[in-house]
Amino acid sequence: MGRTIVLWPRRDQARRSWLRGAPPPWWVKALPVALIAGVCVATLVSPNRLDIGFLLGAIPPLAVLSYGPWATALLGAGVVVVLNVPAFQLNRPGNTDLLTIAFVAVLSVFVSYVRSHRDAQLDLERTVAEAAQRAVVPPLPERVGPVRCVGLYRAAQRGTLVGGDFFDVREGPYGVRAVLGDVQGHGLSAVATVASLLGAFREAVLDQPDLESVAARLDRRLAVDSASSRYAELFATAVLVEFSPDARSVRLVSCGHPAPLLLHGGHVSEVELTAWTPLGLGLADTGPSAGPALRLEPGHTLFLASDGVSEARDTSGTFYPLTDRLAALADGDPALLADRVWGDLVRYCPDVVDDVTMLVLTSASHDAR
């Protein structure tokens, strides 16, 4: 158990239309050749001369959708050749008809050249963007100290891997600490804030002796960023988790975020926490309260999720009943729990419009028992 599942938005990559940037399907690539073959066969088998030569004029523009400039030029030349083969008798084209087809073919080659170079540039930019976004939310290791973890991230904005949600699990001199949160806004506009918070968290894990101080460090980071921002105040909700050295108990801090759920033996209960104010609203001046340590027995699993899960709605406007559904979905390997919840969520709410983040944490200290 231990991985990060980063999902493209459902309307993107695997499910996006070829008219929205996905590679064209096979039938679009085959259409120009099939059209030439169909016209030729029809004229040969028909007892009467068919006036269908005009159909060949569509072949060069169709080729632009799938082929590069050389293949487009080859298909355009093929059209001119077919129009001049006496056996086909394709409307006995005159010079004007042939010049028109030739002009369309040349223009299609130019358009194909521009499209090919633009696609190559977009692919390069997409590759760079993916690398940058993966650096913000890197894959979780199989195990962080004595804690097993699985994360799932689904960004709401089309074409992005990360957005306004964030999570991380790090080991430091004071134990294993985890964070899951949701910043103001979503999509690419929130990535800078996410990167700033994660950087502050990773430093605080190494420096701060208690979880309350880690939360205060994140709050200060947002307050400083907000002071230098030209726009509205920045804020974020978050829940922080700190495991004991043997990972058999945890302490938690909630900064305006939904409390984690504790799973055991098919039962699901919400961890009782006193929610503090969101990060960025002056938390450092008053300080949060972590509350008593929560004992983790064998088989206990902590499930953390962003509000993109609990606030998803079906077609009637009813919120996704996370706690009720989780009891049935939690039966089995905890490593598959995030996948199961995601699959159930998209069946319940086909159009998920917010970032969705889940983090599943279990203690590896009980493995030997």
CSV table of all heavy atoms in Angstrom, one decimal, residues 269-319:
chain,number,residue,atom,x,y,z
A,269,SER,N,-16.6,6.5,11.8
A,269,SER,CA,-17.0,7.6,12.7
A,269,SER,C,-16.1,8.8,12.5
A,269,SER,O,-14.9,8.7,12.1
A,269,SER,CB,-16.8,7.1,14.2
A,269,SER,OG,-15.4,6.7,14.4
A,270,GLU,N,-16.6,9.9,12.7
A,270,GLU,CA,-15.9,11.2,12.5
A,270,GLU,C,-15.1,11.5,13.7
A,270,GLU,O,-15.6,11.4,14.9
A,270,GLU,CB,-16.9,12.3,12.2
A,270,GLU,CG,-16.2,13.6,11.9
A,270,GLU,CD,-17.2,14.7,11.6
A,270,GLU,OE1,-17.8,14.6,10.5
A,270,GLU,OE2,-17.3,15.7,12.4
A,271,VAL,N,-13.8,11.8,13.5
A,271,VAL,CA,-12.9,12.1,14.7
A,271,VAL,C,-13.4,13.4,15.3
A,271,VAL,O,-13.6,14.4,14.5
A,271,VAL,CB,-11.5,12.2,14.2
A,271,VAL,CG1,-10.6,12.6,15.4
A,271,VAL,CG2,-11.0,10.9,13.6
A,272,GLU,N,-13.6,13.4,16.6
A,272,GLU,CA,-14.0,14.7,17.2
A,272,GLU,C,-12.9,15.6,17.4
A,272,GLU,O,-11.9,15.4,18.0
A,272,GLU,CB,-14.6,14.3,18.6
A,272,GLU,CG,-15.9,13.5,18.6
A,272,GLU,CD,-16.5,13.3,19.9
A,272,GLU,OE1,-15.9,13.8,20.9
A,272,GLU,OE2,-17.5,12.5,20.0
A,273,LEU,N,-13.0,16.8,16.7
A,273,LEU,CA,-12.0,17.8,16.7
A,273,LEU,C,-12.7,19.2,16.9
A,273,LEU,O,-13.8,19.4,16.5
A,273,LEU,CB,-11.2,17.9,15.4
A,273,LEU,CG,-10.3,16.7,15.1
A,273,LEU,CD1,-9.7,16.9,13.7
A,273,LEU,CD2,-9.1,16.7,16.2
A,274,THR,N,-12.0,20.1,17.6
A,274,THR,CA,-12.4,21.5,17.7
A,274,THR,C,-11.8,22.2,16.5
A,274,THR,O,-10.6,22.4,16.5
A,274,THR,CB,-11.9,22.1,19.0
A,274,THR,OG1,-12.5,21.3,20.1
A,274,THR,CG2,-12.4,23.5,19.1
A,275,ALA,N,-12.6,22.6,15.6
A,275,ALA,CA,-12.1,23.2,14.3
A,275,ALA,C,-11.7,24.6,14.7
A,275,ALA,O,-12.4,25.4,15.3
A,275,ALA,CB,-13.2,23.2,13.3
A,276,TRP,N,-10.5,24.9,14.2
A,276,TRP,CA,-10.0,26.3,14.4
A,276,TRP,C,-10.2,27.1,13.1
A,276,TRP,O,-10.8,26.6,12.2
A,276,TRP,CB,-8.5,26.2,14.7
A,276,TRP,CG,-8.0,27.4,15.6
A,276,TRP,CD1,-7.3,28.5,15.2
A,276,TRP,CD2,-8.2,27.5,17.0
A,276,TRP,NE1,-7.1,29.3,16.3
A,276,TRP,CE2,-7.6,28.7,17.4
A,276,TRP,CE3,-8.9,26.7,17.9
A,276,TRP,CZ2,-7.7,29.2,18.7
A,276,TRP,CZ3,-9.0,27.2,19.2
A,276,TRP,CH2,-8.3,28.4,19.6
A,277,THR,N,-9.9,28.4,13.2
A,277,THR,CA,-10.1,29.2,12.0
A,277,THR,C,-9.2,28.7,10.8
A,277,THR,O,-8.2,28.1,11.1
A,277,THR,CB,-9.7,30.7,12.3
A,277,THR,OG1,-8.4,30.8,12.8
A,277,THR,CG2,-10.7,31.2,13.4
A,278,PRO,N,-9.6,29.0,9.6
A,278,PRO,CA,-8.8,28.6,8.5
A,278,PRO,C,-7.4,29.3,8.5
A,278,PRO,O,-7.2,30.4,9.1
A,278,PRO,CB,-9.6,29.1,7.3
A,278,PRO,CG,-11.0,29.1,7.8
A,278,PRO,CD,-10.9,29.6,9.2
A,279,LEU,N,-6.5,28.7,7.8
A,279,LEU,CA,-5.1,29.3,7.7
A,279,LEU,C,-5.2,30.6,7.0
A,279,LEU,O,-5.9,30.8,6.0
A,279,LEU,CB,-4.2,28.3,7.0
A,279,LEU,CG,-4.0,26.9,7.6
A,279,LEU,CD1,-3.3,26.0,6.7
A,279,LEU,CD2,-3.3,27.0,9.0
A,280,GLY,N,-4.4,31.6,7.4
A,280,GLY,CA,-4.3,32.9,6.8
A,280,GLY,C,-5.1,33.9,7.4
A,280,GLY,O,-5.1,35.1,7.0
A,281,LEU,N,-5.9,33.5,8.5
A,281,LEU,CA,-6.8,34.5,9.2
A,281,LEU,C,-6.3,34.8,10.6
A,281,LEU,O,-7.2,35.1,11.4
A,281,LEU,CB,-8.2,33.9,9.2
A,281,LEU,CG,-8.8,33.6,7.8
A,281,LEU,CD1,-10.2,33.1,8.0
A,281,LEU,CD2,-8.8,34.8,6.9
A,282,GLY,N,-5.0,34.7,10.8
A,282,GLY,CA,-4.5,35.1,12.1
A,282,GLY,C,-4.4,34.0,13.2
A,282,GLY,O,-4.4,34.3,14.4
A,283,LEU,N,-4.3,32.8,12.7
A,283,LEU,CA,-4.2,31.7,13.6
A,283,LEU,C,-2.9,31.8,14.5
A,283,LEU,O,-3.0,31.4,15.7
A,283,LEU,CB,-4.1,30.4,12.8
A,283,LEU,CG,-3.9,29.1,13.6
A,283,LEU,CD1,-5.1,28.8,14.4
A,283,LEU,CD2,-3.6,27.9,12.6
A,284,ALA,N,-1.9,32.3,14.0
A,284,ALA,CA,-0.6,32.4,14.7
A,284,ALA,C,-0.7,33.2,16.0
A,284,ALA,O,0.0,33.0,17.0
A,284,ALA,CB,0.5,32.9,13.9
A,285,ASP,N,-1.7,34.1,16.1
A,285,ASP,CA,-1.8,35.0,17.2
A,285,ASP,C,-2.5,34.3,18.4
A,285,ASP,O,-2.3,34.7,19.6
A,285,ASP,CB,-2.6,36.2,16.9
A,285,ASP,CG,-1.9,37.1,15.8
A,285,ASP,OD1,-0.7,37.0,15.8
A,285,ASP,OD2,-2.6,37.8,15.1
A,286,THR,N,-3.3,33.3,18.1
A,286,THR,CA,-4.0,32.6,19.2
A,286,THR,C,-3.6,31.2,19.4
A,286,THR,O,-3.6,30.7,20.5
A,286,THR,CB,-5.5,32.7,18.9
A,286,THR,OG1,-5.8,32.1,17.6
A,286,THR,CG2,-6.0,34.1,18.9
A,287,GLY,N,-3.3,30.5,18.3
A,287,GLY,CA,-2.9,29.1,18.4
A,287,GLY,C,-4.0,28.1,18.4
A,287,GLY,O,-5.0,28.3,19.0
A,288,PRO,N,-3.8,27.0,17.7
A,288,PRO,CA,-4.9,25.9,17.6
A,288,PRO,C,-4.8,25.0,18.8
A,288,PRO,O,-3.8,25.1,19.6
A,288,PRO,CB,-4.5,25.3,16.3
A,288,PRO,CG,-3.0,25.3,16.2
A,288,PRO,CD,-2.7,26.7,16.9
A,289,SER,N,-5.7,24.1,18.9
A,289,SER,CA,-5.7,23.1,19.9
A,289,SER,C,-5.7,21.7,19.2
A,289,SER,O,-6.6,21.4,18.4
A,289,SER,CB,-6.9,23.2,20.8
A,289,SER,OG,-7.0,22.2,21.8
A,290,ALA,N,-4.8,20.8,19.5
A,290,ALA,CA,-4.7,19.5,18.9
A,290,ALA,C,-5.6,18.5,19.6
A,290,ALA,O,-6.0,17.5,19.0
A,290,ALA,CB,-3.3,19.0,18.9
A,291,GLY,N,-5.9,18.7,20.9
A,291,GLY,CA,-6.7,17.8,21.6
A,291,GLY,C,-6.0,16.6,22.0
A,291,GLY,O,-4.8,16.4,21.7
A,292,PRO,N,-6.6,15.6,22.6
A,292,PRO,CA,-6.0,14.4,23.1
A,292,PRO,C,-5.6,13.5,22.0
A,292,PRO,O,-6.1,13.6,20.9
A,292,PRO,CB,-7.0,13.7,24.0
A,292,PRO,CG,-8.3,14.2,23.5
A,292,PRO,CD,-8.1,15.6,23.0
A,293,ALA,N,-4.6,12.6,22.2
A,293,ALA,CA,-4.2,11.6,21.2
A,293,ALA,C,-5.2,10.6,21.0
A,293,ALA,O,-5.9,10.2,21.9
A,293,ALA,CB,-2.9,11.0,21.7
A,294,LEU,N,-5.3,10.2,19.7
A,294,LEU,CA,-6.3,9.2,19.3
A,294,LEU,C,-5.6,7.8,19.2
A,294,LEU,O,-4.6,7.8,18.4
A,294,LEU,CB,-7.0,9.6,18.0
A,294,LEU,CG,-8.0,8.5,17.4
A,294,LEU,CD1,-9.2,8.3,18.3
A,294,LEU,CD2,-8.4,9.0,16.0
A,295,ARG,N,-6.0,6.8,19.9
A,295,ARG,CA,-5.3,5.5,19.8
A,295,ARG,C,-5.7,4.8,18.5
A,295,ARG,O,-6.9,4.7,18.2
A,295,ARG,CB,-5.8,4.7,21.0
A,295,ARG,CG,-5.0,3.3,21.1
A,295,ARG,CD,-3.6,3.5,21.5
A,295,ARG,NE,-2.9,2.2,21.6
A,295,ARG,CZ,-1.6,2.1,21.8
A,295,ARG,NH1,-0.9,3.2,21.9
A,295,ARG,NH2,-1.1,0.9,21.9
A,296,LEU,N,-4.7,4.3,17.8
A,296,LEU,CA,-5.0,3.5,16.6
A,296,LEU,C,-4.8,2.0,16.9
A,296,LEU,O,-3.7,1.5,17.2
A,296,LEU,CB,-4.0,3.9,15.5
A,296,LEU,CG,-4.2,5.3,15.0
A,296,LEU,CD1,-3.1,5.6,13.9
A,296,LEU,CD2,-5.5,5.6,14.4
A,297,GLU,N,-5.9,1.3,16.9
A,297,GLU,CA,-5.8,-0.2,17.1
A,297,GLU,C,-5.6,-0.9,15.7
A,297,GLU,O,-5.7,-0.3,14.7
A,297,GLU,CB,-7.2,-0.6,17.7
A,297,GLU,CG,-7.5,0.0,19.0
A,297,GLU,CD,-6.5,-0.3,20.1
A,297,GLU,OE1,-5.8,-1.4,20.0
A,297,GLU,OE2,-6.4,0.4,21.1
A,298,PRO,N,-5.2,-2.2,15.8
A,298,PRO,CA,-5.0,-2.9,14.5
A,298,PRO,C,-6.3,-2.8,13.7
A,298,PRO,O,-7.4,-3.1,14.2
A,298,PRO,CB,-4.8,-4.3,15.0
A,298,PRO,CG,-4.2,-4.2,16.3
A,298,PRO,CD,-4.8,-3.0,16.9
A,299,GLY,N,-6.1,-2.5,12.4
A,299,GLY,CA,-7.3,-2.4,11.5
A,299,GLY,C,-7.8,-1.0,11.4
A,299,GLY,O,-8.7,-0.8,10.5
A,300,HIS,N,-7.4,-0.1,12.2
A,300,HIS,CA,-7.9,1.3,12.1
A,300,HIS,C,-7.3,2.0,10.9
A,300,HIS,O,-6.1,1.8,10.5
A,300,HIS,CB,-7.5,2.1,13.3
A,300,HIS,CG,-8.4,1.9,14.5
A,300,HIS,ND1,-8.2,2.5,15.7
A,300,HIS,CD2,-9.5,1.1,14.6
A,300,HIS,CE1,-9.2,2.1,16.5
A,300,HIS,NE2,-10.0,1.2,15.9
A,301,THR,N,-8.1,2.7,10.2
A,301,THR,CA,-7.7,3.5,9.0
A,301,THR,C,-8.2,4.9,9.1
A,301,THR,O,-9.4,5.1,9.5
A,301,THR,CB,-8.2,2.9,7.7
A,301,THR,OG1,-7.6,1.6,7.6
A,301,THR,CG2,-7.8,3.7,6.5
A,302,LEU,N,-7.3,5.9,8.9
A,302,LEU,CA,-7.8,7.3,8.8
A,302,LEU,C,-8.0,7.7,7.4
A,302,LEU,O,-7.2,7.5,6.5
A,302,LEU,CB,-6.7,8.2,9.4
A,302,LEU,CG,-6.6,8.4,10.9
A,302,LEU,CD1,-5.5,9.3,11.3
A,302,LEU,CD2,-7.9,9.0,11.5
A,303,PHE,N,-9.2,8.3,7.2
A,303,PHE,CA,-9.5,8.7,5.8
A,303,PHE,C,-9.8,10.2,5.8
A,303,PHE,O,-10.6,10.7,6.5
A,303,PHE,CB,-10.8,8.0,5.4
A,303,PHE,CG,-11.3,8.4,4.0
A,303,PHE,CD1,-10.8,7.7,2.9
A,303,PHE,CD2,-12.2,9.4,3.8
A,303,PHE,CE1,-11.2,8.1,1.6
A,303,PHE,CE2,-12.6,9.7,2.5
A,303,PHE,CZ,-12.1,9.1,1.4
A,304,LEU,N,-8.9,10.9,5.1
A,304,LEU,CA,-9.0,12.4,5.0
A,304,LEU,C,-9.5,12.7,3.6
A,304,LEU,O,-9.0,12.1,2.6
A,304,LEU,CB,-7.7,13.1,5.3
A,304,LEU,CG,-7.1,13.0,6.7
A,304,LEU,CD1,-6.7,11.6,7.1
A,304,LEU,CD2,-6.0,14.0,6.8
A,305,ALA,N,-10.3,13.7,3.5
A,305,ALA,CA,-10.9,14.1,2.1
A,305,ALA,C,-11.1,15.6,2.1
A,305,ALA,O,-11.4,16.2,3.1
A,305,ALA,CB,-12.1,13.3,1.8
A,306,SER,N,-11.0,16.2,0.9
A,306,SER,CA,-11.4,17.6,0.7
A,306,SER,C,-12.9,17.7,0.6
A,306,SER,O,-13.6,16.7,0.4
A,306,SER,CB,-10.7,18.1,-0.5
A,306,SER,OG,-11.1,17.5,-1.7
A,307,ASP,N,-13.3,19.0,0.6
A,307,ASP,CA,-14.8,19.2,0.5
A,307,ASP,C,-15.3,18.9,-0.9
A,307,ASP,O,-16.5,18.9,-1.1
A,307,ASP,CB,-15.2,20.6,1.0
A,307,ASP,CG,-14.5,21.7,0.2
A,307,ASP,OD1,-13.8,21.4,-0.8
A,307,ASP,OD2,-14.5,22.9,0.6
A,308,GLY,N,-14.4,18.7,-1.8
A,308,GLY,CA,-14.8,18.3,-3.2
A,308,GLY,C,-15.5,16.9,-3.2
A,308,GLY,O,-16.3,16.6,-4.1
A,309,VAL,N,-15.3,16.1,-2.1
A,309,VAL,CA,-15.9,14.8,-2.0
A,309,VAL,C,-17.3,15.0,-1.3
A,309,VAL,O,-18.3,14.6,-1.8
A,309,VAL,CB,-15.1,13.8,-1.2
A,309,VAL,CG1,-15.8,12.5,-1.0
A,309,VAL,CG2,-13.7,13.6,-1.9
A,310,SER,N,-17.3,15.6,-0.1
A,310,SER,CA,-18.5,15.7,0.7
A,310,SER,C,-19.5,16.7,0.1
A,310,SER,O,-20.7,16.6,0.4
A,310,SER,CB,-18.1,16.1,2.1
A,310,SER,OG,-17.4,17.3,2.1
A,311,GLU,N,-19.0,17.6,-0.7
A,311,GLU,CA,-20.0,18.6,-1.3
A,311,GLU,C,-20.4,18.3,-2.7
A,311,GLU,O,-21.0,19.2,-3.3
A,311,GLU,CB,-19.3,20.0,-1.2
A,311,GLU,CG,-19.2,20.5,0.3
A,311,GLU,CD,-18.6,21.9,0.4
A,311,GLU,OE1,-18.4,22.5,-0.7
A,311,GLU,OE2,-18.4,22.4,1.5
A,312,ALA,N,-20.0,17.2,-3.2
A,312,ALA,CA,-20.4,16.8,-4.6
A,312,ALA,C,-21.9,16.5,-4.5
A,312,ALA,O,-22.4,15.9,-3.5
A,312,ALA,CB,-19.6,15.6,-5.1
A,313,ARG,N,-22.7,16.9,-5.5
A,313,ARG,CA,-24.1,16.7,-5.5
A,313,ARG,C,-24.6,15.9,-6.7
A,313,ARG,O,-24.0,15.9,-7.8
A,313,ARG,CB,-24.8,18.0,-5.6
A,313,ARG,CG,-24.4,19.0,-4.5
A,313,ARG,CD,-25.3,20.2,-4.5
A,313,ARG,NE,-24.8,21.2,-3.5
A,313,ARG,CZ,-25.6,22.1,-2.9
A,313,ARG,NH1,-26.9,22.1,-3.2
A,313,ARG,NH2,-25.1,23.0,-2.1
A,314,ASP,N,-25.6,15.1,-6.5
A,314,ASP,CA,-26.2,14.4,-7.6
A,314,ASP,C,-27.2,15.3,-8.4
A,314,ASP,O,-27.2,16.5,-8.2
A,314,ASP,CB,-27.0,13.1,-7.1
A,314,ASP,CG,-28.1,13.5,-6.2
A,314,ASP,OD1,-28.5,14.7,-6.1
A,314,ASP,OD2,-28.7,12.6,-5.6
A,315,THR,N,-27.9,14.8,-9.4
A,315,THR,CA,-28.7,15.6,-10.3
A,315,THR,C,-29.9,16.3,-9.5
A,315,THR,O,-30.4,17.3,-10.0
A,315,THR,CB,-29.3,14.7,-11.4
A,315,THR,OG1,-30.0,13.6,-10.8
A,315,THR,CG2,-28.2,14.2,-12.3
A,316,SER,N,-30.2,15.8,-8.4
A,316,SER,CA,-31.3,16.4,-7.6
A,316,SER,C,-30.8,17.4,-6.6
A,316,SER,O,-31.6,18.0,-5.9
A,316,SER,CB,-32.1,15.3,-6.8
A,316,SER,OG,-31.3,14.7,-5.8
A,317,GLY,N,-29.4,17.6,-6.5
A,317,GLY,CA,-28.9,18.5,-5.6
A,317,GLY,C,-28.5,18.0,-4.2
A,317,GLY,O,-28.1,18.7,-3.3
A,318,THR,N,-28.6,16.7,-4.0
A,318,THR,CA,-28.3,16.0,-2.8
A,318,THR,C,-26.8,15.8,-2.6
A,318,THR,O,-26.2,15.3,-3.5
A,318,THR,CB,-29.1,14.7,-2.6
A,318,THR,OG1,-30.5,14.9,-2.8
A,318,THR,CG2,-28.8,14.1,-1.2
A,319,PHE,N,-26.3,16.1,-1.5
A,319,PHE,CA,-24.8,16.0,-1.2
A,319,PHE,C,-24.5,14.5,-1.2
A,319,PHE,O,-25.3,13.6,-0.8
A,319,PHE,CB,-24.4,16.6,0.1
A,319,PHE,CG,-24.4,18.1,0.0
A,319,PHE,CD1,-25.3,18.9,0.8
A,319,PHE,CD2,-23.5,18.8,-0.8
A,319,PHE,CE1,-25.3,20.3,0.7
A,319,PHE,CE2,-23.5,20.2,-0.8
A,319,PHE,CZ,-24.4,20.9,-0.1
